[in-house]
Amino acid sequence: MTVREIIKRFTFIEIFQGMALTLRKMFSHAVTIQYPKERRPIAPGFRGQHALAKDRSGHAKCVGCGLCVTICPSQCISVQRDKGQVVGYEIEVLRCIYCGFCVEACPYGAIVLTENYEYSVYKKEDLLLKKDRLLSSWDKYMPGKMGEDYFNKFWRPMSEDFGTPPGQSGYKGKKQ
Ligand code: SF4
Ligand code: SF4
């Protein structure tokens, strides 16, 4: 044991250092907030609870093509179709990793990740989101122009040019 360690041990200096730090923090500004009365702003593009989008006349946009089912890496989406109609749509939220691939893959802009993060429940069965709940989440969390803004801001390519970016190698093919 060094002299320095012996002094530390017998003078309780670390305890006094800790108490001094506590005292300093008691008079500084709190970094915590009074949730749920106070809330921090949500970051743009936040990926929260899913919703199924509706068109302007209030009908579900989903046509049941199943692209979201195919792309989902967690395999947590299932779609049921009958006679050309979407009769069921389910997302097992507990398995979702919020990658957003379903939103990107959907050719109809029919699924969104809303800003809602408050959906903790007591039973895991309640986190199997069914079609009706997903549709009502659209009304609840994407009111007015929010849905349109969402797709324009985050989920549409910002460029009209879908060609190969300059400098990136691309397959040119054989000249006929
Ligand atoms: S966000 Fe990703 S993991 Fe979640 S449902 Fe969509 S594709 Fe699947
Ligand atoms: S949400 Fe989109 S990708 Fe998924 S089944 Fe419906 S239309 Fe197809």
Side-chain angles (χ1 to χ4, degrees), residues 37-103:
K37 279 187 198 155
E38 296 171 36
R39 285 154 197 262
R40 293 209 165 93
I42 292 170
F46 178 82
R47 297 172 188 175
Q49 189 192 338
H50 312 66
L52 278 177
K54 293 180 182 176
D55 60 19
R56 286 196 180 141
S57 52
H59 296 115
K61 284 185 177 176
C62 177
V63 295
C65 68
L67 276 178
C68 53
V69 180
T70 308
I71 199 94
C72 177
S74 309
Q75 300 184 347
C76 60
I77 307 179
S78 70
V79 182
Q80 295 91 43
R81 272 171 62 104
D82 188 33
K83 295 177 189 140
Q85 299 294 314
V86 184
V87 289
Y89 191 106
E90 286 172 6
I91 300 180
E92 207 179 324
V93 162
L94 282 177
R95 284 167 57 193
C96 175
I97 55 167
Y98 299 87
C99 62
F101 285 0
C102 49
V103 183

